[in-house]
Amino acid sequence: MANPAEGSEARGKDEAEVYLGYDELFYSRTDARGIIRSGNDIFQRVSQYEWSELLGAPHRIVRHPGTPRGVFRILWDAIQKDNPMGAYVKNRAKSGGYYWVFAVIVPIPGGFLSVRLKPSSTIFPKVQEIYARLAPWERDGRVDPEDTARRLREAAEAEGFSSYTSFMAYALAHELTSRDAQLKRQSDPRTRLLADLNQALETIMREQVGILHSFEALQSIPNNMRIVASRLEPSGGPVSSISENYKAASSRISERLRSFVIGKDNIYDRMSREVARALFLLGCERVVDEMRKRFAYHAPVEGIDWAAEQVMLLEVEKESAIRAHTALQTAAELAEALTRSSRDIRRQMLGLDTIRVLGRVECGRLREAGSALSSTIDQLDKFHEDIKLRLEKITSLSEDIEGLIARHLRLEATKAA
């Protein structure tokens, strides 16, 4: 079957947008190879293909060259690991027209389920700009999709996010909230809480990286102290001892922070993944529930058993709720560990502060001869103040995160009751 999406891009300048309402949701279900096995009437109407053309066709039949292939590489990498994922996607209808969606893709037994809604948040225009730069670069330069995926991750970092997954989780929360506003209905408080949680995590990440940089900058200061000491006292004197003790203590904290922030499977990364997982699953639960209830009004379609489809969607909805709850419980445990670690590092900083004060005392003892040492201690004062403020912020945010997760779990319990 010919795919219009693979045709000439020249006509893209004249293509018209296909109507998709904010109140509409559509989905498609594929097997493990990406072959379309089912969908709903909105998918069929917007794509403009007949059911006979859609069922059994590869999902790329609706692919638009305006969506960088790197997007699909990221999606595929996630769902192959049984992780839900989201993305903005520009699709092409059979007529050559286009339509934008925010898609949530969830692995299900035997394949994948994609739920899509019309994007309307303030994040959407930013992503359109990114795609407008990357798609031609990828296509005209015959660039490997993995290179485009790397550029997309860099773009997410430029927006202040630690990962593309976190960026898309944040985007989904805002798309759901914006859709509620477009439809003039009350937004889901669980979605707002998860969005706040995601943002708090990103702030913690930035503060942790800032602390790590401060500690790395500190590593040169004990060396400077030893150089000063060699001019002021015999080998092994008080200042030399202070510099050695400071270097050893700060190195221990620095190593702890490095594994805490950038080590493999560090606490932050694990928490971020669990919160993103919960957001994607919650979004899936919400829209599948809304969409499933519309299946009773579908006209018969050869090859699709609507009753069986409703049962399958109900199972997806229930499973999404269970998996989201599990993800948040795991995130709650990690948040508690994060708080404990932050407090532990603050206690270690007290010991480092004691060594710094001893250095200040030596400055006073040496009087004028210790002016160079005093300048070095002034540098320590500056870094210690920065680290102290960041640690206080991290500890406070960690406690906030624990509170947000507890509130979300209470809301879930209320909803279930």
Side-chain angles (χ1 to χ4, degrees):
M1 182 184 300
N3 179 10
E6 304 297 335
S8 172
E9 180 66 5
R11 61 177 172 171
K13 296 179 181 178
D14 301 318
E15 62 186 2
E17 183 172 7
V18 178
Y19 176 77
L20 173 63
Y22 290 113
D23 61 323
E24 295 182 307
L25 294 168
F26 66 88
Y27 94 105
S28 56
R29 178 171 58 82
T30 73
D31 62 18
R33 297 176 300 135
I35 302 301
I36 299 170
R37 296 305 178 194
S38 184
N40 68 343
D41 59 340
I42 296 173
F43 174 46
Q44 187 272 324
R45 190 205 80 220
V46 175
S47 70
Q48 300 174 346
Y49 287 96
E50 298 298 328
W51 278 117
S52 59
E53 297 175 289
L54 287 173
L55 298 178
H59 207 283
R60 66 174 178 271
I61 192 173
V62 294
R63 182 175 292 180
H64 191 291
T67 302
R69 291 177 182 269
V71 173
F72 302 109
R73 176 64 60 87
I74 291 173
L75 287 171
W76 189 250
D77 287 348
I79 60 179
Q80 284 292 295
K81 297 173 183 174
D82 199 35
N83 295 320
M85 188 59 177
Y88 289 94
V89 179
K90 186 178 185 181
N91 283 333
R92 174 172 278 168
K94 184 177 181 180
S95 66
Y98 71 92
Y99 54 98
W100 280 95
V101 296
F102 187 93
V104 179
I105 297 93
V106 180
I108 58 173
F112 310 100
L113 178 77
S114 177
V115 184
R116 305 189 281 286
L117 54 89
K118 183 179 178 69
S120 59
S121 79
T122 56
I123 299 167
F124 178 42
K126 296 178 183 179
V127 174
Q128 286 179 299
E129 291 175 9
I130 294 169
Y131 285 12
R133 292 197 310 271
L134 291 184
W137 172 75
E138 178 187 70
R139 185 177 59 253
D140 298 342
R142 300 182 182 276
V143 176
D144 189 294
E146 187 54 46
D147 291 332
T148 318
R150 177 177 50 79
R151 292 284 186 98
L152 285 164
R153 295 184 183 103
E154 290 171 355
E157 291 174 8
E159 290 294 327
F161 294 88
S162 59
S163 69
Y164 192 78
T165 301
S166 181
F167 183 31
M168 287 298 100
Y170 176 84
L172 173 59
H174 282 265
E175 289 300 341
L176 290 171
T177 301
S178 179
R179 181 170 183 265
D180 288 334
Q182 291 285 344
L183 299 178
K184 295 181 171 55
R185 65 188 185 190
Q186 186 176 3
S187 61
D188 185 345
R190 297 177 302 159
T191 304
R192 293 200 306 272
L193 276 175
L194 282 177
D196 291 343
L197 182 56
N198 192 73
Q199 196 159 6
L201 277 169
E202 291 302 320
T203 304
I204 281 181
M205 179 61 177
R206 288 192 291 272
E207 295 299 327
Q208 288 174 334
V209 170
I211 289 176
L212 185 58
H213 289 165
S214 290
F215 268 103
E216 288 174 344
L218 276 175
Q219 300 309 302
S220 65
I221 295 179
N223 296 331
N224 295 338
M225 291 175 69
R226 284 200 302 275
I227 293 171
V228 172
S230 67
R231 298 198 296 264
L232 298 177
E233 62 184 14
S235 177
V239 176
S240 296
S241 179
I242 288 169
S243 68
E244 291 297 334
N245 289 338
Y246 189 94
K247 182 175 182 179
S250 64
S251 293
R252 283 194 297 272
I253 301 176
S254 182
E255 283 303 313
R256 176 78 182 275
L257 273 169
R258 190 171 287 108
S259 64
F260 190 59
V261 180
I262 60 177
K264 184 179 180 181
D265 288 331
N266 63 75
I267 292 177
Y268 169 79
D269 277 348
R270 288 157 61 198
M271 268 189 73
S272 181
R273 286 198 298 269
E274 294 301 332
V275 171
R277 181 193 299 272
L279 260 170
F280 290 135
L281 290 167
L282 174 65
C284 182
E285 177 201 350
R286 279 191 60 187
V287 294
V288 165
D289 175 62
E290 181 180 337
M291 186 173 55
R292 176 180 57 81
K293 293 171 181 175
R294 302 181 184 183
F295 268 83
Y297 309 103
H298 279 259
V301 173
E302 185 177 353
I304 300 179
D305 183 339
W306 293 126
E309 211 70 24
Q310 279 185 297
V311 171
M312 186 274 297
L313 287 172
L314 182 59
E315 288 302 311
V316 169
E317 184 184 339
K318 290 178 179 177
E319 182 66 18
S320 294
I322 292 169
R323 292 176 67 191
H325 182 82
T326 301
L328 276 179
Q329 285 184 318
T330 303
E333 294 169 3
L334 291 168
E336 187 178 346
L338 186 68
T339 302
R340 286 198 306 269
S341 297
S342 299
R343 289 171 179 164
D344 185 42
I345 291 173
R346 288 179 72 181
R347 284 193 293 271
Q348 288 179 293
M349 278 299 299
L350 291 176
L352 205 59
D353 270 332
T354 300
I355 300 173
R356 177 176 59 91
V357 170
L358 289 174
R360 182 66 70 188
V361 170
E362 282 301 307
C363 286
R365 185 181 66 79
L366 294 169
R367 301 181 186 279
E368 288 82 2
S371 59
L373 178 61
S374 179
S375 175
T376 301
I377 300 298
D378 287 343
Q379 287 181 283
L380 291 181
D381 291 344
K382 178 182 176 183
F383 281 117
H384 276 233
E385 182 63 23
D386 175 68
I387 292 168
K388 178 183 175 183
L389 292 174
R390 289 183 186 275
L391 278 173
E392 288 175 352
K393 189 170 184 179
I394 287 171
T395 303
S396 177
L397 283 168
S398 299
E399 293 167 351
D400 288 347
I401 284 171
E402 287 187 77
L404 285 168
I405 292 175
R407 283 172 59 196
H408 192 283
L409 292 174
R410 285 197 298 272
L411 280 170
E412 277 190 336
T414 301
K415 181 177 181 288

